[in-house]
Amino acid sequence: MTSLRFWRAPLLVLVAVLTLLPQSAAARDPADAAVPVPAATPDHPSYDVSLRADADGSHWTGRQTVSFRNSARTPLRSVDVRLWGNGADGCGAPGKPSPVRVSGVAGGTPRPLAVGCTALRIDLPKPLPYRARASVSFDVSITVPDRVHRFGRDGAYRFLGNALPLLSVRDAQGRHLDPDVGFGESFYTLTGDFRVVLDHPDTLVVPATGTTSRHAGAPGRTVSTSVAHGVRDFAWAAGPFRSRTVTTPGGVRLNAYWTASTSPEGVAVDMKNAVGAVDEFGRRFGRYPYGELDLVMSDHLDDFGSMEFPGLVLLWTEPEGSAVVHEIAHQWFYGIVGNDQFTSPWLDESFAQYANRTYYRDDTATCWEDAGAWPSGTAALTRSMGYYADGHRSEYVRVVYMRGSCALHDLERVLGGPAMAAVLRGYVRDHWLGVATTADFKRAAQAATAQDLGPFWTEHRIL
């Protein structure tokens, strides 16, 4: 997932002009880190959300409840809720509060917002034992920022990606409270279930994650109810979108939504490639599990790019081609097979770009050599977003996208095409709706060959 997206042509990069935020290091609570948590927790989250929109979808207010289970052997004394929508704006300014605000917390005691107003710690009333469930609820106020962005607006259209508060993860490394560094992604969430009720004016078309049913609300209003299972996030959009629905030969329902200014040629190209990609990746990596996929298209996202969410892809659409295949590949790599995107951005971006180039049958025989020398002695595929934010941003695309995808193509040449396909399918199967690490992938690849892959990992700086 990122705001830096690739076009059809090999190694041609669309670079969004974004501002780098000053925070760069992973935030960990030393007290929590002193007591390792062997399992990622809280898990099995269930989100129940009800929001009401104003006249044009710029402001949404309502109530959110999230229940969860403690999967760690140690009692859970608090949970962290991430307000990622505040990442670019932080805590706001006088007269201009943060875009996402939470109040009226029940089920625990909130602490002051932290990490640039993107993290809310809620102390539970009593320690939650292993495998027990609890819930917290709160009022939510979401104001769509005035910028063309994955959480922003384009004329009469509103995009609400990363707007909904989500549970953070704690594991053996402690509490994951990494900052939003201003490019790429810092997200790390576990899969859960969502039921989101959106009450909005009839004039607004509202594509959203999951399967959506609609019924009449108050006069002039519609109530859209979206249900999604086994997803890491929930996104929606609102506006006078035009739309069309097709079903792929493999049985996936594709719902396309586009703005009035989006070119028909761009819509047609994206839909054609989306139909092909979702079915091919289903055969290659495992069947797409969500039944339907929404494509939300605009021709004004050139300063941002494109972005994927579970069951919904936000696309900058141009007749010459777009990032639709790359973004759909993310449904598998980060969506189905999760990873800590702050710690290991290559596990989703490199894999999605490898899938993109494989789909287009690009000639990758010399792509590792074509990528040129490493940009620095410290560059490596397995660097974190903290590394890139800390003075190495210029390396991000060149390493994570270019070298990362080429490394996977090189691995395919080492293992052979059928073996590589089997490795990836098995890797996805073994981590289906879970979380994978670089070590998990290296083990999967090594199991496919008698050849020692140690020199390969060293050469390609997969540490």
Side-chain angles (χ1 to χ4, degrees):
M1 301 180 178
T2 185
S3 56
L4 307 174
R5 286 303 181 235
F6 282 81
W7 289 83
R8 161 67 183 92
L11 305 183
L12 181 59
V13 184
L14 170 63
V15 180
V17 180
L18 297 174
T19 301
L20 178 61
L21 298 185
Q23 292 176 294
S24 61
R28 298 283 186 263
D29 187 307
D32 287 344
V35 181
V37 180
T41 195
D43 70 354
H44 289 68
S46 179
Y47 298 84
D48 196 334
V49 186
S50 181
L51 299 173
R52 179 182 173 87
D54 64 0
D56 65 358
S58 295
H59 189 59
W60 301 75
T61 55
R63 189 82 177 164
Q64 176 171 336
T65 298
V66 54
S67 68
F68 47 87
R69 185 187 74 164
N70 178 21
S71 59
R73 295 285 180 173
T74 54
L76 188 64
R77 292 177 167 80
S78 66
V79 294
D80 296 295
V81 177
R82 297 308 304 262
L83 281 59
W84 287 114
N86 293 340
D89 300 277
C91 298
K96 188 179 179 182
S98 299
V100 182
R101 287 170 288 163
V102 166
S103 60
V105 175
T109 303
R111 295 194 185 186
L113 288 169
V115 197
C117 288
T118 67
L120 173 66
R121 186 169 184 174
I122 300 175
D123 293 326
L124 301 179
K126 60 182 180 180
L128 186 65
Y130 175 54
R131 289 193 173 177
R133 291 191 70 87
S135 66
V136 295
S137 60
F138 39 82
D139 294 327
V140 181
S141 173
I142 300 172
T143 301
V144 181
D146 187 14
R147 58 174 178 261
V148 180
H149 193 263
R150 61 192 175 200
F151 180 32
R153 62 181 69 194
D154 170 15
Y157 305 90
R158 311 290 180 253
F159 308 125
L160 291 105
N162 309 121
L164 202 65
L166 300 173
L167 283 180
S168 185
V169 179
R170 57 186 69 186
D171 56 21
Q173 284 70 50
R175 297 164 62 211
H176 286 262
L177 297 179
D178 304 300
D180 182 340
V181 299
F183 63 99
E185 288 79 41
S186 298
F187 314 134
Y188 177 22
T189 57
L190 304 181
T191 55
D193 299 330
F194 288 77
R195 181 179 182 273
V196 180
V197 179
L198 302 174
D199 182 331
H200 55 87
D202 292 340
T203 53
L204 299 180
V205 177
V206 181
T209 292
T211 301
T212 302
S213 60
R214 299 174 177 85
H215 67 267
R221 300 186 67 86
T222 296
V223 177
S224 299
T225 302
S226 298
V227 176
H229 299 288
V231 298
R232 301 179 193 279
D233 198 351
F234 184 95
W236 72 101
F241 291 103
R242 301 174 182 181
S243 65
R244 177 188 171 198
T245 295
V246 299
T247 300
T248 74
V252 178
R253 180 184 174 96
L254 288 180
N255 305 309
Y257 302 87
W258 61 93
T259 67
S261 62
T262 302
S263 72
E265 296 84 2
V267 172
V269 168
D270 276 354
M271 291 194 70
K272 177 183 177 182
N273 287 329
V275 166
V278 75
D279 280 355
E280 179 168 324
F281 294 157
R283 292 188 296 269
R284 187 178 293 270
F285 306 127
R287 181 175 172 80
Y288 178 75
Y290 303 126
E292 63 182 72
L293 175 62
D294 290 355
L295 310 177
V296 180
M297 296 175 273
S298 168
D299 60 346
H300 292 154
L301 289 167
D302 48 323
D303 280 346
F304 168 70
S306 301
M307 180 69 188
E308 79 295 337
F309 300 94
L312 185 148
V313 173
L314 178 60
L315 293 167
W316 174 34
T317 300
E318 288 288 319
E320 294 84 0
S322 80
V324 64
V325 174
H326 178 98
E327 305 301 339
I328 288 177
H330 273 306
Q331 298 298 314
W332 282 263
F333 299 108
Y334 187 70
I336 294 169
V337 180
N339 62 288
D340 179 345
Q341 292 184 299
F342 187 92
T343 299
S344 304
W346 91 286
L347 282 176
D348 54 287
E349 294 299 352
S350 300
F351 282 63
Q353 187 58 14
Y354 165 84
N356 179 81
R357 301 188 71 181
T358 299
Y359 174 80
Y360 285 117
R361 311 299 191 261
D362 288 339
D363 182 0
T364 61
T366 62
C367 70
W368 184 258
E369 293 78 8
D370 293 343
W374 287 98
S376 72
T378 56
L381 288 181
T382 46
R383 292 297 186 190
S384 73
M385 292 303 297
Y387 168 85
Y388 294 113
D390 191 18
H392 298 276
R393 182 173 176 177
S394 63
E395 299 179 6
Y396 176 66
V397 170
R398 184 173 174 183
V399 172
V400 174
Y401 288 82
M402 296 181 180
R403 281 198 169 275
S405 62
C406 288
L408 293 172
H409 285 292
D410 273 6
L411 181 61
E412 181 176 330
R413 281 182 280 276
V414 171
L415 300 179
M420 183 66 168
V423 165
L424 287 173
R425 190 172 182 87
Y427 170 74
V428 172
R429 180 195 62 235
D430 292 344
H431 301 285
W432 191 264
L433 301 185
V435 174
T437 64
T438 296
D440 291 327
F441 178 69
K442 290 167 74 172
R443 279 193 293 269
Q446 185 61 75
T449 179
Q451 176 181 341
D452 178 14
L453 292 178
F456 179 91
W457 307 131
T458 300
E459 177 189 355
H460 293 78
R461 299 192 186 182
I462 301 172
L463 309 176

